[in-house]
Amino acid sequence: MEPLRTDEVATSLVSRSARLSVPSVRAALTAVSRPRTLWTAPDEPTVVGGGAAVTVEADGPDRLSCVRERATELLDGADVDAPDVARPRFFGGLAFHEEATGRDPWADFPAARFVVPEVQLVFADDGVWLTVTDVGADAGAVEARLDEVRADLDALSAVDPDGPPGVVGRHRTTSLDAWRESVDAAVSRIRAGDLRKVVLAQALDVELGRPASVPDLLARLGETYPECHRFLVEPATGASFLGATPERLVSLRGRDIETGALAGTTGRGDTDDEDAWLANELLASEKDNHEHELVAETIREQLDPLSAEVRVGERGIRKLATVQHLWTPIDATLERDEHVLSLVDALHPTPAVGGLPPADALGVIRETEPFDRGWYAAPVGWFDADGDGSFAVAIRSAVVDDSLATLFAGVGLVADSDPDAEWDEVQLKYRPILDELEREA
Ligand SMILES: C=C(O[C@@H]1C=C(C(=O)O)C=C[C@H]1O)C(=O)O
């Protein structure tokens, strides 16, 4: 991609904002036009985006510094009249690997893409804020557009959500036999000392009874997984990528970093006793603790050189509707100012979704997986003009294209991993999305 010319970018991003009322996040997401964005994170206001005032894309090993450079030019010269909560931000993410293949279902997903939504709605504690942004327009035109969009959105009425579309067919990318073979091969390499951990994933193509409503699916995921990051990345055309992930990659505010290690998995029990028993087994499991420790250790090592202090909290259990994970909170204070994209670059992929050593694990993933990960297990999130931002790891996710959905799920493999147990764990990790597609209303 050609770099943007300076005369195209200087002081040309104009944002204006106002309060408004809309019945729900779902109604807002239904009303705005593509490309659409949804971002919901614990302790952050939910954001809905529609349209793109500006789009920045990049490819290859320097994709994040390219994005950052172009975005900084645009944001530095911006003419913004908005309270902090409603400031314009870039939303988007990356492909798991450095290059995009363009293979189905990822045809419309480049190696990195971020947009400043033309229409941004922030569901803040004190109400909903609308921000309209344009590039190359005069302030009067942006104000007129703000009035127009606000009038349209203010007139929205609540609509009952549709029930799930239902699942009428399934196709796995990996058979149980092929899986056993791949896991055995990976485990042998780990035992031989070639690598310490690798995360292998599967994809599941699902045919739906009727086209899925993306806003409804995300609304249902919000009810079942309120503690997760929910996201939608929907390009101008083609498929939508969405999910409800329990894994934060990193958030940065000023010099304060919050992250954590999430790895090691078991199911939920049918009774409280069984649930507690499963949690205790997980806490005591040598294999899961080893798998987890590699993630926590690596995150700490990545943050150490950048930080005045890294604090690793106590390992515990993170319970979700369908699974429980080992989780260690990690926070840090930066030594000097950094952009959140630099932290994303340093941390992705953590051994929770890649492996260790990272380059060897990525090699095994590329050789083994018969499908393109696309943006699955990669960072999605936002950043602003100060370089603050928040990113999640896009797991428990799917690409939805009309009546077709492709779900992704992976597992961490170490020396004593068992192929059949890992197979079952993959099936468990499909459930967040699969349940919302299948469940009766
Ligand atoms: C890779 C996934 O999950 C990751 C792998 C985990 C594990 O192996 O125990 C647990 C949480 C995530 O870090 C996924 O859900 O697709």
Side-chain angles (χ1 to χ4, degrees), residues 247 262-265 291 325 352 376 395-396 409-412 425 429:
E247 191 161 351
L262 189 88
T265 306
E291 208 180 309
H325 294 299
Y376 157 70
I395 54 173
R396 316 297 145 82
V411 287
E425 190 176 314
K429 287 173 174 167

Side-chain angles (χ1 to χ4, degrees), residues 25 28-29 36-41 44-50 85-87 89 91 117 119-124 129 230-232 382:
V25 169
L29 194 56
R36 293 184 296 183
T37 299
L38 172 74
W39 176 256
T40 304
E44 287 182 40
T46 291
V47 183
V48 167
V85 71
R87 69 202 183 283
R89 294 183 249 169
F91 292 86
V119 171
Q120 175 183 288
L121 289 128
V122 178
F123 293 75
W129 285 93
R230 263 177 308 142
F231 61 87
L232 167 66
W382 61 266

